[in-house]
Amino acid sequence: MNIDTIVEKVRADGWCVIPQVIPTNEVSLICSDVAEEVEKADQEHRAFVVEMEAKGHKVSGHGIGSASGLISLLPVLHPYLTNENILGAAEAILGPFVRISTVSGLVNNPGVKRGYWHSDWPFNQTVAAKVPAPYPDVVMHLSSIFMLTEFSEKTGGTLIVPGSHRFPNNPSGSNGVDAMAPYPNEMNSTGKPGDVLFYDSRLWHAVPDNPSSIPRVAISIRYAPWWLNLNAQKAGHPDHQMIVVDTNGKGNTNPILPAAIYDSLPNRAQLLFQHWLS
């Protein structure tokens, strides 16, 4: 799949699956490393879920493990940060000077139940720092999910609503759609280990049931244009304090990137992360 095809599919449908971004012979090792880091971070993530729900905020997917700042922990990911097709498509859609906004590990454990329909930041209306609905028909952020295990109906491939990236709101806001109910044209995104689900961050999606006996493991990497303010995701930054903390709002933070990790990145990848330097 070339860059032009990816761009065409994302513009028209809001998503596409890019095959075999990570070679088959490398996926299992990366999967094991990601699962290990997520397990280490699990207690912290569960505490975050409890805190947000105690404040009355909606959090998707009990039984999901998450670890942020994965780039500092897993140098094995570095070669895939500048994948020619993904980065080329991101630049074709968002313009030059694209930045990576987040790198997180995700594990949907067996028995996970369906989550709520939402769009990713900055379109998730439950988050303090957001583009308020109705938002304009503009691509402001791109998301990707690197599949490290099989994504299928059996294991719970991420639920998506094709074409929903052109809607001016999503069910995380009050748009009249039941955020927990099936949607008429919903589908599971499917793919093999090493494939990547690449999508407009406005696309409606939801955590699916995982009725299998195995965890579904993935990496989430998101891409932002240079003009999108990421400071609300930086703990200690005045924007984060004002927008999230002072309003008692819901928000996620990304760990600052240590200089030693930044120096170890390929030159092209450094340009994607210099905004996260300490």
Side-chain angles (χ1 to χ4, degrees):
M1 185 178 291
N2 60 34
I3 292 172
D4 288 343
T5 301
I6 295 169
V7 171
E8 180 181 352
K9 286 180 174 292
V10 170
R11 289 196 186 280
D13 302 324
W15 69 286
C16 71
V17 172
I18 306 171
Q20 219 53 59
V21 173
I22 301 178
T24 303
N25 62 341
E26 297 182 23
V27 173
S28 59
L29 175 60
I30 295 175
C31 179
S32 176
D33 287 346
V34 169
E36 181 178 345
E37 293 300 334
V38 170
E39 185 176 359
K40 289 178 185 177
D42 187 52
Q43 185 172 352
E44 181 180 344
H45 178 68
R46 281 189 279 116
F48 168 78
V49 171
V50 170
E51 178 187 359
M52 290 298 103
E53 291 187 335
K55 293 179 178 180
H57 298 307
K58 185 180 294 184
V59 181
S60 183
H62 283 267
I64 295 177
S66 176
S68 60
L70 217 59
I71 194 60
S72 297
L73 304 172
L74 296 178
V76 70
L77 300 179
H78 294 181
Y80 307 107
L81 299 172
T82 55
N83 176 268
E84 181 179 348
N85 282 340
I86 295 176
L87 198 55
E91 290 176 338
I93 295 171
L94 297 173
F97 313 115
V98 164
R99 301 179 292 173
I100 287 180
S101 57
T102 60
V103 181
S104 302
L106 301 171
V107 176
N108 284 23
N109 290 299
V112 163
K113 298 301 181 184
R114 182 186 183 112
Y116 70 99
W117 288 117
H118 65 283
S119 300
D120 284 336
W121 185 88
F123 302 102
N124 189 325
Q125 299 299 300
T126 70
V127 179
K130 62 180 180 290
V131 177
Y135 38 79
D137 185 9
V138 178
V139 186
M140 301 185 193
H141 206 219
L142 293 164
S143 301
S144 66
I145 298 178
F146 285 63
M147 306 176 190
L148 301 180
T149 55
E150 180 187 28
F151 272 43
S152 66
E153 291 185 14
K154 179 181 178 182
T155 61
T158 302
L159 288 166
I160 61 174
V161 177
S164 58
H165 64 303
R166 304 302 298 273
F167 299 165
N169 197 352
N170 64 78
S172 69
S174 300
N175 72 339
V177 174
D178 185 346
M180 298 303 298
Y183 198 75
N185 66 326
E186 71 175 46
M187 61 179 289
N188 286 102
S189 57
T190 61
K192 298 178 181 179
D195 294 351
V196 173
L197 171 63
F198 185 64
Y199 60 99
D200 186 320
S201 296
R202 295 175 293 173
L203 187 77
W204 296 10
H205 57 285
V207 172
D209 292 329
N210 181 2
S212 74
S213 60
I214 58 174
R216 199 206 72 196
V217 185
I219 305 165
S220 173
I221 301 180
R222 298 176 183 169
Y223 305 84
W226 63 266
W227 45 263
L228 185 63
N229 183 6
L230 303 178
N231 291 331
Q233 297 180 330
K234 292 182 180 179
H237 191 280
D239 285 352
H240 182 264
Q241 180 70 34
M242 176 177 63
I243 297 169
V244 180
V245 179
D246 291 348
T247 64
N248 204 30
K250 175 184 169 184
N252 294 316
T253 57
N254 289 301
I256 296 299
L257 189 65
I261 299 297
Y262 176 82
D263 291 340
S264 72
L265 293 172
N267 290 339
R268 182 66 183 90
Q270 287 182 342
L271 297 176
L272 304 175
F273 284 95
Q274 57 188 355
H275 57 291
W276 286 125
L277 271 174
S278 57

